[in-house]
Amino acid sequence: MTDAPLILRGVEIWQGALDRPAQEAMLADLREVVRAAPLFSPETRFGKKMSVAMTSAGTYGWYSDRRGYRYERRHPSGVDWPPIPESVLAVWRARVSAERMPDCCLVNYYREGAKMGLHQDRDEADFSWPVLSISLGDEARFRIGSVDRGGTTESVWLRSGDVCVIGGDARLVHHGIDKVRFGSSTLLSDGGRVNLTLRVVD
Ligand code: MD3
Ligand code: FE
């Protein structure tokens, strides 16, 4: 990789980092993950179901219910989360570190109309590790604010194969997904968007 990333409020966006064959191979690996640990839509602590469906791979999975947001060692069905696919770990190794692997790969699935409100990712123990995100399928408008609540925001469209690295001063910025242009990509035959976030949790 010789080209430089787009940088928006400290978030590194590597557009087109994964070519189509790499995206297809990763999606095939993710189908195995979803077979072992089916997608579910968690409830927020306000008792409202999220529009995004999700599951995880790795030692920890992200989970939410009326008791709040947290990492859990098992899928709600009681099974361990499946291992993070090698195709996904390879992206982390290339872009973040070969010294320490992530212990959570959150898989977000956006059906038609799904979105994610502005929030911070702060359930992890050590914010010195960046979060790495991989977008697959339909394009989505990603919004970035600042570390403090309120203030201005900026947005950028994330497309299939884009990789974001969020570290340093950007690690605690507010961010969200406004909307997905449903059916804009041919990667998923039924449409929709998959986003992976890789994190070091503890
Ligand atoms: C900026 N997911 O799962 S990925 C999430 O596209 C999440 O599904 C979005 O936000 C999605 O928590 C955005 C890009 C991203 C991921 C983590 C971040 C941006 C971030 C952490 C801090 C700041
Ligand atoms: Fe987030």
Side-chain angles (χ1 to χ4, degrees):
M1 258 288 166
T2 53
D3 57 331
L6 189 80
I7 299 186
L8 193 62
R9 299 206 174 181
V11 174
E12 271 180 29
I13 305 169
W14 297 86
Q15 295 178 309
L18 302 179
D19 63 15
R20 177 76 181 215
Q23 296 170 38
E24 286 171 358
M26 196 175 281
L27 197 60
D29 291 342
L30 293 171
R31 292 197 194 282
E32 293 298 303
V33 167
V34 168
R35 200 165 55 84
L39 293 162
F40 57 94
S41 288
E43 267 187 17
T44 65
R45 73 195 135 95
F46 311 110
K48 201 170 164 340
K49 233 178 191 229
M50 294 178 69
S51 59
V52 179
M54 52 187 76
T55 189
S56 293
T59 307
Y60 296 101
W62 190 84
Y63 190 70
S64 172
D65 61 16
R66 283 156 197 267
R67 286 162 45 207
Y69 313 126
R70 61 192 178 272
Y71 284 99
E72 290 280 3
R73 283 183 173 271
R74 286 171 208 274
H75 183 270
S77 67
V79 301
D80 287 344
W81 304 103
I84 302 176
E86 184 49 44
S87 57
V88 175
L89 291 176
V91 178
W92 174 276
R93 226 178 261 119
R95 306 267 169 189
V96 176
S97 166
E99 306 305 313
R100 164 70 136 115
M101 288 301 106
D103 37 33
C104 174
C105 172
L106 173 63
V107 180
N108 289 150
Y109 177 55
Y110 294 76
R111 293 188 178 83
E112 191 158 20
K115 50 190 163 58
M116 189 178 284
L118 276 185
H119 65 278
Q120 291 172 296
D121 289 19
R122 47 186 296 173
D123 301 324
E124 302 78 25
D126 182 356
F127 300 134
S128 70
W129 283 101
V131 173
L132 184 146
S133 133
I134 303 172
S135 293
L136 297 170
D138 290 341
E139 54 200 58
R141 198 164 69 200
F142 174 55
R143 187 162 293 280
I144 311 177
S146 29
V147 174
D148 299 318
R149 296 184 98 254
T152 63
T153 64
E154 291 178 83
S155 67
V156 63
W157 285 88
L158 295 179
R159 297 193 177 77
S160 198
D162 290 355
V163 169
C164 301
V165 179
I166 310 101
D169 291 343
R171 181 62 180 75
L172 290 173
V173 297
H174 285 81
H175 60 279
I177 296 291
D178 293 344
K179 62 168 164 185
V180 174
R181 230 177 235 150
F182 193 80
S184 55
S185 159
T186 55
L187 187 69
L188 283 89
S189 42
D190 293 332
R193 171 174 188 262
V194 174
N195 179 267
L196 307 180
T197 47
L198 302 179
R199 305 132 190 254
V200 170
V201 172
D202 66 6

